[in-house]
Amino acid sequence: MATSNIKVGEFNTLKVARAFDFGMYLGEDKDVVLLPKRFIPPGLKVGDDVKVFVYHDSEDRLIATTQKPLGVVGDIVNLPVVSVTKLGAFMDWGLMKDLFVAKSQQLMGMRVGGHYLVKIYLDEMTGRVAATEKIERFLSNEVLTVKEQDPVDLVVYRRTDIGYVVIINNLHTGVLHHNDIFHEIQVGDKIKGYIKNIRENNLIDVGSGKMGYQRVEDEAGKIMRLLKENDGYLPYHDKSDPEEIYSFFGMSKKTFKMTTGNLYKNKKIIFTQTGIKLVEE
């Protein structure tokens, strides 16, 4: 059973206490967990620290592994179902033992081969890692842990008429509007973003990528690289079709105009009648 020193469903950095033919025990005193031989990194010895993920194996024993799961306790992830039983479904999360979703934790039933958005949690009754499709109870905007302009991690939750509802830092919900989406996304995608606006009743609007001129600086490097790869000239300008700009540069026309304007001010490019051109150094 886990103690305060070994966290189940999380990564732990533990010291190698003892070594045997079948593996190594990690931790201190009686608070130890087995790292099986097949997961021992080359050169690891007694006294060394090692980063491991701790969970229960197929025989319900607490075990350590150097394999990396696709999510840890607290994460919201999009995973495939690999098998279904009367009790529930099993999802592939990158470890030897699949992640269990009880029937009571499913929304409309799961099928083999389907991908589902779930939250990984620690079952209080069993102490084992499990998953649930019933994510809403873990999300709240009542007390916010973010403020405007904060960089955040987003998970695309569901599509709406105005854009996508997204999960912010696995804690809150917000809206990513269609005009703030510059590349194709789908439910389950993980993307970087920022808090654009917090409205009345803690309703949150988010943007994708980085804020303002941070984004321009990133895109400037992309435009400079593409210019160099195309002999210093590209046939795109402020009159070009927005879809053509997006198709070639992967950015909106607004971002393209801001970025090229910034490059022009810094004397990196010049505008011609038909496109943009590198300034010769």
Side-chain angles (χ1 to χ4, degrees):
M1 191 172 175
T3 73
S4 59
N5 293 325
I6 297 178
K7 303 296 184 184
V8 179
E10 300 178 28
F11 286 103
N12 296 252
T13 299
L14 302 172
K15 193 177 294 293
V16 179
R18 301 185 294 277
F20 298 92
D21 290 341
F22 53 85
M24 292 178 163
Y25 280 101
L26 314 177
E28 298 178 356
D29 301 324
K30 293 182 179 180
D31 185 16
V32 292
V33 61
L34 177 66
L35 176 65
K37 184 177 180 179
R38 62 181 172 274
F39 300 128
I40 296 175
L44 189 68
K45 59 186 185 299
V46 172
D48 289 348
D49 287 334
V50 60
K51 185 177 181 180
V52 293
F53 181 76
V54 178
Y55 71 119
H56 289 84
D57 67 8
S58 56
E59 297 180 21
D60 208 27
R61 299 172 302 186
L62 202 60
I63 207 84
T65 180
T66 48
Q67 289 183 304
K68 293 183 179 179
L70 297 176
V72 302
V73 166
D75 284 351
I76 295 171
V77 289
N78 193 37
L79 300 174
V81 170
V82 292
S83 64
V84 175
T85 70
K86 291 180 180 179
L87 297 177
F90 291 88
M91 310 187 89
D92 179 8
W93 64 323
L95 300 182
M96 293 186 68
K97 182 189 176 187
D98 297 322
L99 184 63
F100 182 63
V101 187
K103 214 160 194 177
S104 63
Q105 297 301 321
Q106 299 174 26
L107 293 177
M108 298 179 67
M110 293 179 163
R111 60 177 178 79
V112 174
H115 282 70
Y116 302 88
L117 199 62
V118 296
K119 183 179 178 75
I120 301 174
Y121 70 101
L122 200 62
D123 188 289
E124 293 182 359
M125 295 287 290
T126 64
R128 293 193 293 268
V129 182
T132 178
E133 265 195 293
K134 298 179 179 180
I135 298 172
E136 295 283 351
R137 71 178 187 268
F138 297 101
L139 306 173
S140 172
N141 284 27
E142 189 173 337
V143 179
L144 296 182
T145 60
V146 295
K147 60 184 185 298
E148 289 185 2
Q149 302 185 14
D150 277 359
V152 290
D153 292 316
L154 306 174
V155 177
V156 181
Y157 192 21
R158 62 175 181 267
R159 187 180 179 118
T160 71
D161 291 340
I162 59 174
Y164 286 86
V165 175
V166 294
I167 298 167
I168 304 166
N169 291 347
N170 293 328
L171 296 172
H172 312 303
T173 58
V175 175
L176 177 62
H177 292 264
H178 284 306
N179 60 2
D180 283 313
I181 299 171
F182 306 116
H183 54 85
E184 188 177 337
I185 62 174
Q186 56 188 5
V187 172
D189 283 354
K190 291 185 175 184
I191 58 177
K192 296 291 184 181
Y194 61 93
I195 304 299
K196 191 173 182 180
N197 184 36
I198 298 177
R199 296 182 279 122
E200 192 177 355
N201 296 324
N202 284 350
L203 298 175
I204 302 175
D205 296 320
V206 301
S208 62
K210 296 181 180 179
M211 276 198 65
Y213 275 93
Q214 280 186 303
R215 184 201 299 269
V216 170
E217 289 169 9
D218 291 343
E219 303 297 6
K222 181 189 290 186
I223 290 175
M224 292 294 286
R225 174 178 59 79
L226 289 168
L227 278 165
K228 290 172 183 175
E229 290 174 356
N230 289 273
D231 299 321
Y233 171 80
L234 290 169
Y236 299 95
H237 47 76
D238 61 359
K239 298 291 192 295
S240 295
D241 185 272
E243 290 186 5
E244 290 182 2
I245 289 174
Y246 180 77
S247 177
F248 187 80
F249 294 98
M251 66 183 76
S252 68
K253 185 171 180 178
K254 180 181 176 182
T255 300
F256 172 78
K257 289 174 69 174
M258 287 175 63
T259 309
T260 52
N262 200 40
L263 289 170
Y264 175 76
K265 287 177 185 176
N266 290 320
K267 300 181 178 179
K268 299 288 187 181
I269 66 168
I270 57 172
F271 295 108
T272 71
Q273 290 186 339
T274 57
I276 55 176
K277 188 176 180 181
L278 268 179
V279 172
E280 294 183 7
E281 297 180 355

